[in-house]
């Protein structure tokens, strides 16, 4: 049985048009199995060089001249590069700034305020109970701060928010809908077009959290008619621990939204040092303080790589990887009591799978000591994150065989 899978993995790797890209990553020459590129992506070798050169040349050599020469505009140029390669956004709608949490707060609050000002009945923020903690917490915080309320959508932890669930939750009191495109736990891939349409039919604005989709599944914000979005760069975009997130604001909304953290970098004339806050036109108004340039370095290499190979090719490999993992799990792990808590339909599945079993917390800890690195999420879920550019089929099989060996009999 396992020999059969080893053969299949070898054939799949041989036929994989992206197979050689794996060699571009630090550590790809070791036997370590990495199942957590959806949580902290591996660095590219080019990034290691870029970081060292930055300290000596750009920062060390150009010093403060670097701001004029490149860094002042980097949040926007890198934002536009993400827009083109990763999220389907025309130029001038994407900026790289603070953490995901802070950018989500800024955009959800700006959207909430604008909506309620236009219609005082709109006081609800719609979020699902299985959304990532930061999303749920900041929705509650904004509701408390602005005298609004949260309307919760109940979802099964092995799926996500579908059209019917959203349709039931939205209405004339909805100001903003905040949803993850790919659910961090189950990997459920929401329908961006349809859910955006449902939010709009109810007169609401929608904010998409793209953390678990950016760089692994196609996102087409302009085509969806999306309003706002925020995404993480240290997951599939390999920006490194704590690298800054990006925000998207569709052009028609930019002038009518004002975000709550008014800082000097968001003003029209940054060095005027004027007496009053005057929000800049365009995406600059969504910045607050000095942008984290060092945090943007690594990310540039992966965004360039995604642009080069194309997100469709990445998605095709992602589907092949998760489908292969699902087959192995069904045949080798299901007999040991493991269940798949992710969608079986590849069209509704992002780049990771969650496998549940009561012993998965201990299994994960045991695997880490063997250089097999998944992560654990309650209830009983071992997450198998298969970052398409840096993961091979053989690696996927090796990791799942290690899970099989570590499970109690
Ligand atoms: C990873 C992740 C975040 C992380 O937010 P940070 O501010 O970077 O800590 C937020 N939302 C989702 C859905 C995530 O997957």
């Amino acid at each position: 049985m396992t020999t059969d899978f080893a053969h299949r993995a070898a054939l799949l790797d041989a036929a994989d048009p992206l197979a050689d890209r794996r060699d571009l990553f630090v550590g790809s020459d070791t036997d370590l199995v990495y199942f957590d590129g959806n949580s902290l992506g591996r660095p590219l070798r080019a990034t290691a060089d870029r970081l060292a050169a930055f300290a000596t040349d750009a920062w060390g050599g150009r010093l403060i001249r670097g701001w004029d020469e490149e860094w002042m505009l980097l949040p926007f140029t890198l934002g536009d590069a993400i827009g083109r390669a990763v999220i389907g956004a025309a130029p001038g709608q994407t900026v790289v700034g603070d953490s995901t949490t802070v950018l989500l707060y800024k955009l959800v609050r700006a959207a909430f305020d604008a909506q309620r000002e236009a219609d005082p009945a709109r006081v609800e923020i719609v979020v699902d109970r299985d959304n990532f903690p930061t999303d749920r917490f900041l929705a509650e915080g904004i509701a408390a701060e602005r005298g609004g309320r949260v309307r919760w959508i109940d979802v099964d932890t092995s799926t996500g928010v579908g059209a019917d669930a959203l349709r039931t939750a939205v209405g004339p009191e909805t100001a903003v809908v905040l949803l993850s495109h790919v659910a961090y736990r189950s990997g459920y891939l929401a329908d961006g077009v349809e859910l955006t349409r449902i939010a709009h039919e109810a007169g609401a604005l929608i904010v998409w959290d793209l953390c678990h989709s950016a760089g692994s599944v196609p996102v087409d914000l302009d085509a969806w008619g999306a309003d706002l979005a925020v995404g993480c760069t240290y997951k599939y975009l390999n920006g490194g621990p704590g690298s800054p997130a990006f925000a998207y604001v569709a052009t028609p909304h930019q002038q009518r939204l004002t975000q709550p953290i008014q800082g000097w970098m968001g003003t029209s004339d940054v060095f005027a040092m004027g007496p009053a806050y005057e929000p800049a036109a365009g995406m600059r108004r969504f910045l607050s303080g000095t942008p984290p340039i060092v945090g943007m370095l690594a990310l540039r290499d992966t965004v360039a790589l995604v642009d080069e190979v194309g997100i469709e090719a990445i998605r095709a490999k992602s589907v092949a990887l998760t489908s292969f993992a699902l087959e192995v799990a069904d045949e080798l792990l299901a007999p040991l009591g493991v269940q798949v808590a992710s969608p079986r339909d590849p069209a509704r599945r992002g780049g990771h799978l969650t496998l549940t079993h009561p012993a998965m917390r201990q299994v994960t800890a045991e695997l880490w000591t063997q250089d097999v690195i998944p992560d654990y999420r309650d209830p009983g879920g071992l997450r198998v994150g298969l970052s398409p550019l840096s993961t091979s089929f053989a690696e996927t099989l090796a990791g799942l065989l290690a899970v099989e060996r570590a499970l109690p009999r």
Side-chain angles (χ1 to χ4, degrees):
M1 206 72 84
T2 48
T3 332
D4 192 12
F5 278 127
H7 184 60
R8 286 274 317 286
L11 290 178
L12 286 163
D13 278 324
D16 170 16
L18 298 182
D20 59 339
R21 308 303 161 132
R22 186 169 182 272
D23 302 335
L24 301 174
F25 288 86
V26 173
S28 56
D29 48 347
T30 71
D31 289 335
L32 182 141
V33 172
Y34 197 50
F35 279 173
D36 232 347
N38 61 315
S39 190
L40 177 66
R42 297 185 105 153
L44 284 160
R45 292 180 202 280
T47 295
D49 298 337
R50 187 197 280 280
L51 292 175
F54 184 79
T56 51
D57 306 344
W59 174 15
R62 302 310 298 159
L63 294 163
I64 200 168
R65 291 171 291 187
W67 284 109
D68 290 338
E69 290 165 359
E70 184 177 34
W71 308 330
M72 269 315 260
L73 290 180
L74 192 56
F76 308 99
T77 53
L78 184 54
D80 283 345
I82 292 171
R84 181 181 62 245
V86 181
I87 59 170
Q93 303 178 103
T94 311
V95 72
V96 179
D98 316 285
S99 69
T100 298
T101 300
V102 172
L103 284 179
L104 274 174
Y105 171 77
K106 286 157 75 162
L107 294 197
V108 174
R109 215 191 93 153
F112 180 91
D113 288 351
Q115 285 282 90
R116 195 176 48 183
E117 197 178 302
D119 177 355
R122 296 199 180 269
V123 292
E124 289 187 350
I125 304 173
V126 171
V127 198
D128 64 286
R129 287 197 195 276
D130 201 36
N131 209 333
F132 194 82
T134 232
D135 303 63
R136 291 182 279 113
F137 298 163
L138 68 86
E140 285 184 310
I142 291 168
E145 181 175 72
R146 308 305 276 168
R149 55 178 180 264
V150 175
R151 175 168 295 266
W152 295 102
I153 301 177
D154 287 313
V155 283
D156 188 314
T157 56
S158 59
T159 63
V161 179
D164 291 340
L166 183 60
R167 226 177 263 119
T168 320
V170 293
E173 297 187 335
T174 314
V176 185
V177 174
L178 171 58
L179 294 178
S180 285
H181 183 219
V182 171
Y184 80 102
R185 205 193 308 259
S186 68
Y188 178 85
L189 172 61
D191 186 331
V193 177
E194 187 167 25
L195 300 188
T196 298
R197 183 162 41 76
I198 292 168
H200 288 171
E201 280 165 6
L205 293 181
I206 189 159
V207 182
W208 283 105
D209 182 331
L210 304 175
C211 285
H212 266 81
S213 36
S216 74
V217 300
V219 174
D220 222 342
L221 294 174
D222 285 350
W224 298 356
D227 303 299
L228 307 157
V230 174
C232 194
T233 63
Y234 53 78
K235 292 173 178 166
Y236 293 103
L237 295 178
N238 312 313
S243 62
F246 61 84
Y248 162 92
V249 179
T251 305
H253 295 307
Q254 289 174 13
Q255 291 313 108
R256 63 184 279 260
L257 297 185
T258 43
Q259 56 96 355
I261 307 180
Q262 303 184 352
W264 71 307
M265 281 283 163
T267 59
S268 41
D269 190 353
V270 173
F271 289 98
M273 308 277 180
Y277 175 76
E278 187 62 53
M283 289 306 288
R284 176 168 287 286
R285 65 170 54 201
F286 298 98
L287 289 186
S288 296
T290 303
I293 301 302
V294 177
M296 295 181 200
L297 297 176
L299 168 59
R300 298 166 74 172
D301 297 314
T302 295
V303 171
L305 182 57
V306 173
D307 202 18
E308 182 203 323
V309 307
I311 193 72
E312 295 296 341
I314 291 172
R315 171 64 174 162
K317 176 158 180 196
S318 172
V319 168
L321 281 168
T322 53
S323 300
F324 178 64
L326 203 56
E327 257 184 76
V328 176
D330 281 342
E331 199 160 319
L332 302 183
L333 306 182
L336 299 172
V338 171
Q339 292 189 329
V340 175
S342 295
R344 286 188 169 272
D345 175 5
R348 288 274 68 84
R349 189 170 71 224
H352 70 278
L353 289 180
T354 294
L355 304 175
T356 59
H357 185 285
M360 282 310 192
R361 188 188 289 277
Q362 299 89 288
V363 167
T364 304
E366 164 67 21
L367 293 180
W368 279 34
T369 68
Q370 304 169 16
D371 271 357
V372 174
I373 318 209
D375 66 17
Y376 175 82
R377 292 289 181 270
D378 271 330
L382 177 140
R383 284 196 311 178
V384 180
L386 301 169
S387 192
L389 291 168
S390 60
T391 311
S392 68
F393 292 88
E395 180 184 3
T396 303
L397 178 62
L400 293 173
L401 292 176
V403 173
E404 185 195 22
R405 285 193 300 274
L407 280 164
R409 314 275 141 160

